[in-house]
Amino acid sequence: MAKPIELRIKAVEAIEKGESIYNVGKYFGISIWTVRRWLKKYKTGGLKQLTKPRIPWNITPERIAQKVFLLKENNPQITLLQAKMELLKQKIFLSLPGIRKIWQRYGVGGYDRKNQSARIMPKVPIPQDVQKKIEKAEMLTEEGNMKAAAEILNYLPYCGDTRLLDKVPYEYLSSRRKLEKLMLLFDKEPPGKYYEIAHSLRTALEKERLFYSSLRAGIVEANALFWMGKPRLMLNLMKHLEKRMPFKGDPVLWFLFNLLKGMALARLLKLKDALQCANECQRLIKKFCDGSFYINLGNLYSNIGEYLKAKEYYEIAMENVSPDMHDACLISLAGCYNLNAEYEKALKTLKELKYKDAPVYTFIPLARAQAFFGTGRIIAAAEEARRAIEIAKKAEVLQYLHSSTMLLATIYFSLGDVKQAQMLIKDLIPLLRKNQMMQDYYIRRLYISKDGILIPERFKSEPFVKLILLMKNAQRTRRIKDYNRALNFADKKGLQGYFHRLCVFYPDVVLKMLERKRRIGLPRSILALPVFNKEIPVFVIKFLGEVEILKSGERIKIKLSPKDLAFLIHIGSNKNQRLLLKEIYENFWPRSKSPNKNLAHLLVRIRKNLGLAPHLLSIQEGILCWQLYFTTDYQEFEQTLAQAKALERAGEWGFARKEYLRAFKLFRGEPFKKNFDNWSVDMRFRILSEFETEAINFAKSCIEHGNKNDARKILQKVLRIIPDSEEARKLSDSLI
């Protein structure tokens, strides 16, 4: 065991003062041979030689360790035995455990399987000498000396994913340190930028012949391509990496490779090949304990369409998942619960989550929207679907826009508004084709086609496509066995939730099964929707201008005062289908001594004008409840505006422009012009402010794209509705 440096100095100083070696050894409790060795070092090299740390006998010299490490780095497929034989040729004699220990020191082997997570950088013990240098580098970063800190870090054999790398600028680091920092950049850079960094690093590592490290950088690059929705490029990269991939000795790297290859194959609908990758991952996962492996395998099965298996792996993952992966697992689990029609479980799971600014959290409002629809809260579902579009990042926009607008189309169809539903489905078809999102492209075409369409054979095996085809066949034949075939397939694949939404588009066959008193597999919350229950009225209130009310698509004549109309718009804009009487009284009759009588008379007038039975709009225990559905043109405005802004974020200005114009066309005049209750005044201010802001922003974007004509027209409309808008007037004058 090495003695403290202070002890060495004191011992030598005592001898220099005249003490004998024997007495010094006896006083300090050390061997006289040790004292003599210290004295010899001091005489040959002074204090510098005396205080130089002694290298333990079992530590390989750095120059030899470098050679051993480079054997693995230059040839990732080399085994321990092959490395030993190669070293023997160079007259370097090392045991297999000795080689393994060096590879572990450099982070190219020696995984701690109990603590390892599904990350490219292994969790290996950091040696004491390396840890001391990391601490020294940390002190330098605190002093602001980043270059000196980087020099120390670059010299080290391996740092792992120490957070110290977060502080040191990327450009100061060596290629291997950049690789270790790459994992820390995942949530800080958009997928496109992250891909560029990973791609540049991989090619740089390959030029330096650091092939083992290049494989790890390639895995990160492939993951970025997955988030960007580029499966073909991803598969080409996997083929390039496979040439050097070690099939033995690095189960984590091999697991991640098969995982991402399977993801790419699943996206390209090569499902049999993807299942082979999943089976290999399933074999490897037995070696590890951490829940992140089970989350990733669940994601792969989810992409393949095996949602029940995916749910099983997510539930296993929750038993042993690290805090940083906990939320991702819950979000994935909620998605599976929704697909399997376990809506209450999904909502309970989502309650545990708080939104954060990271890609995976964007799924929360979409998952909530799906659960709300399944429980019959379709207005709340529409609101959450709109929010999902609003918060989607640039790289995710198209996928979330597809999922959210399909759910919105389902909502409109369930309310009997076939025209609006079909428009939502049709509008994105050209964009999906342009971006090679062929699965989503064919799904939309199937939804709106009355007859069959030509679909490539490989797409027909995709679970969603197959379920739609089965349901279309059942709608055509109206036979019980064909409906049961679709229902049984949904049960088998864990797609009951998707089946519930799909049935909305084929109400005739569902009603036929109800008539025959057959099993339909739909909950009461879905069967209560207007598309299946014609007795429930659906009203569209257009108040962005002169008020118009449509019932079942037909405009109705109304004789209501401005206050009565304001009240009707108030309840029509509420997503919960209930209002507290106290809230109503405070807004509409704040000074009245008998607001309850005023409300009773108002309800009578509204029921009479809308042709409603008393139970459809009634008071129950201090709450106003209604068993009917309202949509408004303001809700449509916000949904269309969200789509337009999302498309603009995605760089699709041509498609965004059409949505912006459609949104602004909904404004026919000033809303609530004759209403002066508090709610109406607040809403008028909010709506006009939003209209003015978004219209001016649109006009500026038009000018940037060289389209002054649209800019001029929209500014003129703003000035007609809001004559005192100074910003609109200045911008309009600049276009003359």
Side-chain angles (χ1 to χ4, degrees):
M1 183 177 175
K3 306 298 182 194
I5 290 171
E6 294 81 3
L7 183 60
R8 299 183 196 183
I9 295 170
K10 285 179 181 178
V12 171
E13 284 177 349
I15 293 169
E16 288 289 300
K17 288 177 182 178
E19 288 290 339
S20 68
I21 291 174
Y22 177 79
N23 287 338
V24 169
K26 187 177 179 182
Y27 180 78
F28 287 109
I30 51 180
S31 165
I32 60 170
W33 303 107
T34 302
V35 178
R36 281 176 178 166
R37 189 173 68 249
W38 289 350
L39 186 61
K40 185 179 178 181
K41 282 186 176 184
Y42 177 73
K43 286 182 177 179
T44 56
L47 280 174
K48 186 177 180 181
Q49 183 68 21
L50 178 66
T51 56
K52 188 177 180 179
R54 183 185 172 193
I55 299 172
W57 65 271
N58 60 344
I59 295 293
T60 309
E62 196 62 36
R63 61 182 180 79
I64 294 177
Q66 274 280 341
K67 288 183 179 181
V68 177
F69 153 66
L70 286 172
L71 281 175
K72 189 69 172 173
E73 185 67 270
N74 297 155
N75 181 10
Q77 294 178 343
I78 198 170
T79 64
L80 283 167
L81 188 58
Q82 288 170 340
K84 182 177 179 179
M85 299 308 293
E86 189 64 36
L87 290 167
L88 283 173
K89 292 177 186 177
Q90 302 176 40
K91 295 185 179 180
I92 298 172
F93 304 97
L94 284 173
S95 65
L96 296 181
I99 296 169
R100 184 188 290 111
K101 190 172 182 180
I102 292 169
W103 285 357
Q104 184 187 63
R105 180 178 171 84
Y106 280 84
V108 291
Y111 289 94
D112 181 358
R113 293 183 180 181
K114 289 184 179 179
N115 298 318
Q116 183 60 37
S117 60
R119 298 165 65 88
I120 60 163
M121 304 315 300
K123 288 185 178 178
V124 296
I126 302 295
Q128 193 174 0
D129 61 315
V130 174
Q131 190 60 49
K132 283 182 179 178
K133 287 175 182 175
I134 290 173
E135 288 169 5
K136 186 177 178 181
E138 191 162 10
M139 288 173 64
L140 288 167
T141 58
E142 288 173 5
E143 294 169 6
N145 195 348
M146 297 300 176
K147 284 189 177 179
E151 284 176 11
I152 293 173
L153 293 173
N154 291 340
Y155 182 75
L156 297 178
Y158 182 64
C159 286
D161 56 359
T162 174
R163 288 285 163 185
L164 176 59
L165 291 170
D166 237 352
K167 300 176 184 177
V168 181
Y170 186 78
E171 59 271 16
Y172 291 169
L173 298 173
S174 65
S175 296
R176 293 191 75 236
R177 291 299 88 83
K178 284 178 179 177
L179 175 62
E180 290 161 14
K181 179 163 181 167
L182 195 59
M183 289 302 296
L184 305 175
L185 298 176
F186 178 68
D187 289 337
K188 297 173 184 175
E189 299 286 353
K193 176 72 173 173
Y194 191 62
Y195 163 74
E196 289 173 11
I197 296 170
H199 175 74
S200 299
L201 182 57
R202 176 182 63 81
T203 52
L205 287 163
E206 286 177 347
K207 285 178 183 176
E208 295 176 42
R209 296 190 61 79
L210 300 176
F211 295 123
Y212 199 101
S213 294
S214 75
L215 290 174
R216 287 176 170 165
I219 293 294
V220 177
E221 184 183 349
N223 190 44
L225 284 170
F226 175 77
W227 278 98
M228 292 167 68
K230 307 282 185 183
R232 201 164 294 282
L233 284 177
M234 189 178 168
L235 194 58
N236 291 338
L237 175 60
M238 303 315 287
K239 287 176 182 176
H240 171 74
L241 298 177
E242 195 166 13
K243 297 170 188 175
R244 295 194 181 98
M245 187 64 61
F247 305 109
K248 292 181 180 179
D250 195 334
V252 177
L253 197 62
W254 187 230
F255 175 89
L256 293 172
F257 174 81
N258 279 282
L259 175 79
L260 289 166
K261 184 181 177 183
M263 292 282 202
L265 290 165
R267 286 288 176 94
L268 294 168
L269 295 178
K270 297 180 179 181
L271 301 182
K272 286 185 180 179
D273 294 334
L275 273 172
Q276 288 180 359
C277 292
N279 291 337
E280 183 64 12
C281 289
Q282 201 169 9
R283 181 185 70 81
L284 290 164
I285 208 170
K286 297 170 186 176
K287 299 175 183 286
F288 302 104
C289 304
D290 192 81
S292 60
F293 289 95
Y294 291 90
I295 294 171
N296 280 291
L297 187 51
N299 291 340
L300 177 52
Y301 276 119
S302 180
N303 277 271
I304 292 170
E306 298 288 340
Y307 298 102
L308 290 176
K309 251 189 174 179
K311 186 177 78 162
E312 179 187 334
Y313 278 107
Y314 292 141
E315 288 174 339
I316 293 170
M318 287 306 299
E319 296 171 11
N320 187 22
V321 68
S322 57
D324 59 326
M325 292 291 288
H326 179 265
D327 286 3
C329 189
L330 281 180
I331 291 167
S332 299
L333 197 53
C336 286
Y337 285 147
N338 278 330
L339 279 174
N340 204 35
E342 298 174 89
Y343 304 119
E344 294 301 334
K345 271 190 178 182
L347 289 170
K348 187 178 178 182
T349 302
L350 292 167
K351 271 184 182 178
E352 298 181 37
L353 296 163
K354 289 184 179 179
Y355 179 76
K356 297 176 185 176
D357 189 19
V360 70
Y361 289 90
T362 313
F363 186 71
I364 293 175
L366 185 57
R368 284 171 60 85
Q370 292 169 349
F372 283 153
F373 182 86
T375 52
R377 297 161 63 185
I378 59 175
I379 305 303
E383 182 66 22
E384 289 293 332
R386 180 182 64 80
R387 186 164 173 261
I389 298 169
E390 284 181 343
I391 65 175
K393 307 297 179 189
K394 181 179 177 180
E396 311 158 351
V397 162
L398 294 183
Q399 188 56 55
Y400 281 97
L401 198 56
H402 163 69
S403 302
S404 301
T405 53
M406 280 305 302
L407 184 58
L408 286 169
T410 307
I411 290 167
Y412 279 113
F413 217 104
S414 70
L415 295 173
D417 194 342
V418 177
K419 184 180 177 182
Q420 181 71 7
Q422 288 185 336
M423 184 184 70
L424 280 166
I425 296 171
K426 283 179 182 178
D427 279 356
L428 274 188
I429 288 176
L431 185 59
L432 294 173
R433 185 164 190 172
K434 175 189 169 185
N435 286 274
Q436 296 296 302
M437 297 171 68
M438 301 310 294
Q439 178 187 344
D440 301 329
Y441 166 79
Y442 283 118
I443 283 174
R444 283 182 176 251
R445 286 200 58 197
L446 280 171
Y447 267 104
I448 61 171
S449 67
K450 293 182 180 178
D451 304 317
I453 62 168
L454 289 173
I455 300 178
E457 211 50 47
R458 64 191 177 94
F459 283 92
K460 292 181 181 178
S461 59
E462 198 278 329
F464 291 124
V465 173
K466 188 171 181 179
L467 186 55
I468 297 169
L469 290 171
L470 288 171
M471 201 63 192
K472 285 182 81 71
N473 186 52
Q475 174 82 348
R476 182 177 58 81
T477 64
R478 308 289 175 89
R479 291 189 300 194
I480 295 169
K481 69 174 184 178
D482 289 331
Y483 182 85
N484 285 339
R485 194 173 290 145
L487 179 56
N488 292 335
F489 179 79
D491 289 342
K492 180 184 174 183
K493 291 290 184 179
L495 293 175
Q496 293 96 328
Y498 191 79
F499 179 76
H500 294 169
R501 298 196 290 276
L502 184 59
C503 282
V504 167
F505 291 87
Y506 305 102
D508 295 343
V509 66
V510 174
L511 293 170
K512 195 74 175 176
M513 295 301 112
L514 279 171
E515 191 181 304
R516 296 178 182 179
K517 297 183 179 179
R518 300 290 180 174
R519 174 176 173 252
I520 54 171
L522 294 177
R524 289 181 181 178
S525 56
I526 299 293
L527 288 173
L529 294 173
V531 70
F532 301 120
N533 191 347
K534 303 297 182 184
E535 294 179 4
I536 297 179
V538 179
F539 295 93
V540 179
I541 304 175
K542 298 183 178 184
F543 64 90
L544 299 179
E546 188 179 346
V547 178
E548 295 178 12
I549 298 179
L550 285 76
K551 181 178 182 181
S552 302
E554 298 292 329
R555 184 174 176 178
I556 58 173
K557 292 181 179 180
I558 49 173
K559 294 179 181 179
L560 293 172
S561 67
K563 180 173 278 191
D564 291 358
L565 285 172
F567 177 84
L568 186 59
I569 295 166
H570 188 23
I571 65 172
S573 302
N574 187 286
K575 62 183 180 182
N576 296 318
Q577 292 184 292
R578 55 178 57 203
L579 278 171
L580 291 172
L581 295 186
K582 184 180 177 182
E583 180 185 329
I584 297 170
Y585 295 157
E586 286 176 356
N587 182 66
F588 290 98
W589 301 284
R591 296 185 182 86
S592 175
K593 293 181 180 179
S594 53
N596 54 331
K597 288 184 180 178
N598 293 333
L599 178 60
H601 290 306
L602 185 147
L603 291 178
V604 169
R605 292 193 296 272
I606 286 178
R607 289 192 197 109
K608 183 179 178 182
N609 272 272
L610 300 185
L612 299 176
H615 72 278
L616 294 176
L617 183 62
S618 59
I619 296 170
Q620 299 172 13
E621 299 179 357
I623 298 171
L624 178 69
C625 305
W626 52 95
Q627 298 176 37
L628 56 154
Y629 292 95
F630 292 99
T631 62
T632 69
D633 53 354
Y634 180 57
Q635 289 167 351
E636 187 182 344
F637 168 75
E638 288 202 306
Q639 289 162 10
T640 311
L641 188 65
Q643 292 170 54
K645 291 164 86 170
L647 287 165
E648 187 175 7
R649 279 201 308 279
E652 299 289 350
W653 172 250
F655 291 95
R657 173 185 166 274
K658 290 179 183 177
E659 294 301 314
Y660 274 122
L661 292 174
R662 181 179 295 155
F664 297 132
K665 191 177 179 181
L666 293 169
F667 273 82
R668 296 167 289 109
E670 182 183 345
F672 300 107
K673 198 169 184 179
K674 298 177 182 178
N675 302 105
F676 301 99
D677 60 275
N678 292 335
W679 183 83
S680 298
V681 170
D682 289 344
M683 279 294 287
R684 176 167 58 237
F685 178 77
R686 173 184 157 187
I687 291 169
L688 290 178
S689 296
E690 185 179 6
F691 171 64
E692 180 184 21
T693 302
E694 298 300 343
I696 289 170
N697 288 339
F698 170 69
K700 288 177 180 177
S701 295
C702 286
I703 295 167
E704 287 175 11
H705 288 88
N707 185 354
K708 292 186 178 181
N709 189 40
D710 280 343
R712 195 177 293 109
K713 283 181 180 178
I714 198 65
L715 290 170
Q716 287 172 357
K717 185 165 191 174
V718 172
L719 291 170
R720 279 200 305 273
I721 297 172
I722 315 171
D724 57 349
S725 174
E726 289 297 325
E727 191 174 357
R729 189 170 300 283
K730 285 178 184 177
L731 193 58
S732 180
D733 290 344
S734 69
L735 295 173
I736 297 172

